[in-house]
Amino acid sequence: MKTQLKGVVVSDKQDKTVVVRVESLKEHPRYKKRYTSHKRYKAHDEKGEFKEGDSVVIEQTRPLSKEKKWRVIKKI
């Protein structure tokens, strides 16, 4: 199974591309305090059906462009 991540669409201004913000919970190695961090991924959206604010699942795929290596699978 390919890597899948859950996130929220933060931008849909590009053609056939959405920017998805994925949050993760991390723990500090020494102090053991838990904190959230986030990363933004550019994902392929062929039909342009996903809009800003949608919760989506993205899946890793072959490189589609210089920065786009993810594809939107479904809306949650």
Side-chain angles (χ1 to χ4, degrees):
M1 188 169 125
K2 297 181 182 178
T3 306
Q4 292 187 351
L5 300 171
K6 295 177 187 175
V8 178
V9 177
V10 292
S11 174
D12 62 344
K13 295 175 183 174
Q14 301 174 64
D15 187 35
K16 297 185 180 182
T17 303
V18 292
V19 180
V20 179
R21 178 185 165 125
V22 176
E23 291 191 354
S24 62
L25 194 61
K26 295 186 176 182
E27 187 176 83
H28 192 278
R30 170 177 273 175
Y31 301 115
K32 307 301 181 197
K33 183 176 172 76
R34 302 175 95 195
Y35 61 96
T36 58
S37 81
H38 70 273
K39 189 168 179 183
R40 291 162 53 111
Y41 295 95
K42 289 191 172 123
H44 186 66
D45 176 18
E46 182 67 38
K47 300 174 187 168
E49 58 188 312
F50 302 103
K51 302 297 176 198
E52 200 169 320
D54 290 347
S55 294
V56 295
V57 175
I58 57 175
E59 181 178 72
Q60 197 167 19
T61 183
R62 65 181 175 81
L64 301 169
S65 69
K66 180 182 175 183
E67 297 180 332
K68 206 165 38 164
K69 295 164 183 66
W70 297 84
R71 179 175 287 134
V72 180
I73 301 300
K74 63 182 175 182
K75 186 176 180 179
I76 300 176

